[in-house]
Amino acid sequence: MSIAIHIKFKATTKDSLSIPVATQGTYHTVWLPTAEKLGLKWVPLFENGPMVGVDDLAVVMNEFRRLREALAISPKNVSILERIDFILEELGDVPLDEVSEVFIG
């Protein structure tokens, strides 16, 4: 199993977007403990599949940045840092005014 961000758009002609986040194992061993240490709100909820309001997407992106900063201290996290960079790039390209629903899980 894995964690991904699923975005649906208001226009039914536009395909949904799925952004892979982490495998279940990496989420439990790296993402979750770090997110809890940082006191993040959204990242610890990813496994439970929260619906995220479009207005909260900026907060989620900031949590990804904080997580990235904390994980950057270890060279063994290079692939995770690359994944976070990819997630931030993909989310940065999403036209928020066209989003109808965001689900992470």
Side-chain angles (χ1 to χ4, degrees):
M1 247 171 130
S2 62
I3 310 257
I5 300 168
H6 305 281
I7 300 174
K8 289 186 180 180
F9 295 95
K10 294 174 186 172
T12 55
T13 56
K14 190 165 185 167
D15 289 337
S16 296
L17 175 65
S18 289
I19 305 168
V21 173
T23 64
Q24 207 72 19
T26 302
Y27 175 78
H28 277 282
T29 59
V30 180
W31 289 66
L32 186 57
T34 306
E36 288 174 343
K37 275 185 201 170
L38 294 171
L40 302 182
K41 172 187 175 182
W42 287 103
V43 175
L45 300 176
F46 287 177
E47 186 176 38
N48 297 325
M51 295 296 291
V52 177
V54 175
D55 294 338
D56 289 321
L57 209 46
V59 175
V60 172
M61 290 176 71
N62 188 50
E63 287 193 11
F64 280 123
R65 289 182 192 99
R66 290 182 59 204
L67 188 66
R68 188 195 190 292
E69 185 179 316
L71 295 173
I73 60 171
S74 174
K76 70 179 182 174
N77 292 329
V78 170
S79 63
I80 297 171
L81 300 178
E82 290 171 353
R83 172 60 53 190
I84 294 172
D85 290 342
F86 171 76
I87 293 165
L88 289 170
E89 184 177 320
E90 289 291 304
L91 289 176
D93 290 342
V94 172
L96 297 181
D97 58 329
E98 296 177 18
V99 173
S100 66
E101 186 176 282
V102 180
F103 169 80
I104 304 176

